[in-house]
Every structure is written in structure tokens, then in C-alpha cells.
Amino acid sequence: QLQLVESGGKLVQPGESLRLSCTASSFTMDDYAFAWARQAPGKEREGVAATSTSGEITNYADSVKGRFTISRDDFKNTIYLQMNNLKPEDAAVYYCAAGQYYHGAYLSPDFYDYWGQGTQVTVSS
């Protein structure tokens, strides 16, 4: 089955930038839509960014729109989340997710069947 592994999380100060990576095991990566979701202590997991199977459609949560960018490189089997101007409220464990649908980029975690183990992002001065 599809395996996802996130990397890149670390401690950063407010206003700084960070790029997360997610490596997928699938050789048919273009069969999947991908998303990034996050979960902070005491809160539900929320989708923050999603991309369609083609990579042509993206969707972002209002809280990160204009600051975060999701992208994919199918030749490298990698999905990225570029995070700029990080805020303390962005601190969370960030998860990469995949799902087999073909006509959109959906933020809800319910659309995804495969999940990585997460990478911790801490934003603090």
C-alpha cells in the first residue's frame, strides 16, 4: 500500500519560513490527490492545503491562504508544503495525506485514506 513519510519540521521564530516534504512510495503517484493537514494539542485535525491528481487545482484553508503553497513533483514522488510568514498559531504536527479522487482538491481529512506519521512544527520566539 501507499506509504507517506514527512520531513522538515523544526522550531522556527514567527515570521520565518519553512518547507515540509512528503515522500510517497507509489509509482503511480498521479492516481492520487494529496493534502497537508495539521493537528495542534487539544484541537481537531484540520486540512490546510490540497492538490488534485494533476496538480492543477489547489485549495487552502483561509488561515494559511497567501502564506502556504502546496506543490508536487511526481518524478521525485514528493509533495511539498512551503510555509511563509509563520505564526504561533501555525504550530502543530503536520501530516501528509493521499486519496484516490480525480476532480478536485479537498481540504477535509475525510477525503484521504493514506496518512504519514507527521512532522512537528514549532513557532515560538
Side-chain angles (χ1 to χ4, degrees):
Q1 63 177 5
L2 181 66
Q3 303 289 328
L4 303 171
V5 180
E6 304 95 335
S7 63
K10 66 175 184 178
L11 171 67
V12 298
Q13 294 183 330
E16 293 185 339
S17 298
L18 191 65
R19 188 177 74 168
L20 305 182
S21 298
C22 171
T23 300
S25 63
S26 179
F27 285 99
T28 55
M29 186 171 154
D30 59 356
D31 288 340
Y32 296 91
F34 290 91
W36 287 93
R38 66 188 182 189
Q39 188 165 24
K43 296 184 178 180
E44 294 186 354
R45 189 171 298 188
E46 63 167 340
V48 298
T51 183
S52 63
T53 55
S54 67
E56 295 180 348
I57 303 170
T58 56
N59 197 10
Y60 299 93
D62 288 343
S63 59
V64 307
K65 192 173 184 178
R67 298 188 297 120
F68 288 14
T69 303
I70 187 171
S71 60
R72 57 192 290 169
D73 185 338
D74 288 4
F75 288 105
K76 293 184 177 180
N77 287 349
T78 302
I79 305 91
Y80 302 98
L81 184 68
Q82 177 67 44
M83 304 184 293
N84 296 329
N85 191 24
L86 283 161
K87 302 176 180 180
E89 54 262 41
D90 295 320
V93 177
Y94 282 73
Y95 298 89
C96 179
Q100 289 183 296
Y101 59 89
Y102 305 101
H103 300 288
Y106 301 104
L107 289 175
S108 173
D110 293 341
F111 279 87
Y112 300 94
D113 302 310
Y114 303 95
W115 294 84
Q117 295 300 305
T119 185
Q120 177 72 54
V121 174
T122 303
V123 186
S124 176
S125 60

